[in-house]
Amino acid sequence: MRVPMIAGNWKMNTTLSEAVKLVREMLPGLEPIANVDRVICPPFVSLPAVKELLKGSPVKLGAQNMYFEEKGAYTGEVSPLMLAELCRYVIIGHSERRQYFGETGEIVNKKILAALKVNLKPILCIGEKLEENETGQTEAVVTGQLGSSLAGIEDLSRLIIAYEPIWAIGTGRAATGERANEIIGLIRHHIARQYGISIARDLRIIYGGSVTADNTTEFMRQPEIDGALVGGASLKANQFLSIVKQTAEVKGG
Ligand code: PGA
């Protein structure tokens, strides 16, 4: 059985003091919810303070990005080794990174390899653009992204895949549960062909793109969807809590 996961991607939101306040607001509600992996991904600068607040907590910490080199003259970058001391998860290849910061499939692949090397759990984001969706290219795009991102990677046991159609991110226009389930099913099928059925069966594939407390249950009722990567709604303690609670109710054992 795959344990469902809800991860909050705070993006470039919250100052240090705001991050601390938000964690304090959501933690008492989040902690007692069983059978769902709960992860929050604040900005880099807040990771040490949030790590302190999460000490001994079942709620885990993730980063939103990293560079693939371990150290050196890369001004302004954050390395896998730095993150490994602070958190367990790292989002890799988010569409905003691909779109605004020129991340290619090759870079994403190097980052996944580097994250795995230091035992971080990468949350690999893939997803199609609106025009690709409208011209029937979704499957080709996501399987192409999978192929380039996972080149040379044999062990998927620590990987999580987030299917995030780009047209659904931050737009209030989520995919339907049924359609997201179908694409995630295709992704799983593709993984099964490459890596074998049991690896595909154990791999967590979550949905992202305008997930809110109002549509969570629709997504979580789908058998292929193992949770959600939540942007905007993860910045509101009540919303995020409701998303995690509903996930536990629908998927919980
Ligand atoms: P959103 O973002 O929930 O605000 O659409 C999701 C994401 O970018 O991970």
Side-chain angles (χ1 to χ4, degrees), residues 110-121:
K110 284 185 180 170
K111 290 186 173 188
I112 301 267
L113 283 162
L116 291 173
K117 199 172 159 204
V118 296
N119 286 327
L120 285 165
K121 297 180 177 182

Side-chain angles (χ1 to χ4, degrees), residues 117-154:
K117 199 172 159 204
V118 296
N119 286 327
L120 285 165
K121 297 180 177 182
I123 302 173
L124 165 65
C125 300
I126 57 174
E128 82 285 2
K129 298 186 185 121
L130 183 60
E131 80 236 31
E132 293 164 339
N133 180 281
E134 287 173 341
T135 51
Q137 296 178 73
T138 300
E139 184 176 357
V141 169
V142 295
T143 54
Q145 288 172 337
L146 271 182
S148 58
S149 308
L150 298 181
I153 293 163
E154 280 158 27

Side-chain angles (χ1 to χ4, degrees), residues 9 11 94 96 164 168-170 209-211 229-232:
N9 173 13
K11 307 192 180 185
H94 190 280
E96 287 151 16
E164 299 207 305
I169 295 176
S210 295
V211 172
L229 182 55
V230 185

Side-chain angles (χ1 to χ4, degrees), residues 7-11 91 94-96 125 162 164-174 207-212 228-235 243:
N9 173 13
W10 294 9
K11 307 192 180 185
I91 299 170
H94 190 280
S95 63
E96 287 151 16
C125 300
E164 299 207 305
I166 295 171
W167 47 269
I169 295 176
T171 58
R173 183 183 162 195
Y207 168 78
S210 295
V211 172
T212 64
L229 182 55
V230 185
S234 71
L235 291 165
I243 290 167

